[in-house]
Amino acid sequence: MQEPFDITIGDIDYAIFPEGNDTYVVFKDGKEYVQIQKDTESQWLKLDPETALPLFEEDEEINAIGREITAYVPEIEEGDEEAEEEE
């Protein structure tokens, strides 16, 4: 499972917590903000906070967060590199 990571869009910082199955919990300003799910390569869906069902409405902020999640490349720590080389 992927580790949590941070992204920045403009001057807003988001903390991203992967949940699996292309679903992520997004924190904004230190508070849980939204749960999102990848729909297509360029389309992301906000999940209803009550039912966790996808809301099929266009939301540019959600798509921007999704683009950053897709583009995110985790930093490999030195200990991780050695473990990968041994495999």
Side-chain angles (χ1 to χ4, degrees), residues 11-51:
D11 60 351
I12 301 172
D13 295 321
Y14 300 91
I16 309 299
F17 287 78
E19 296 282 298
N21 297 330
D22 287 329
T23 302
Y24 300 83
V25 176
V26 179
F27 286 77
K28 180 178 178 181
D29 298 326
K31 297 179 181 167
E32 187 171 336
Y33 176 56
V34 68
Q35 188 173 13
I36 65 174
Q37 184 174 40
K38 185 175 184 177
D39 184 34
T40 66
E41 196 60 40
S42 61
Q43 193 70 28
W44 289 72
L45 303 172
K46 184 188 320 187
L47 300 182
D48 183 284
E50 300 293 319
T51 64

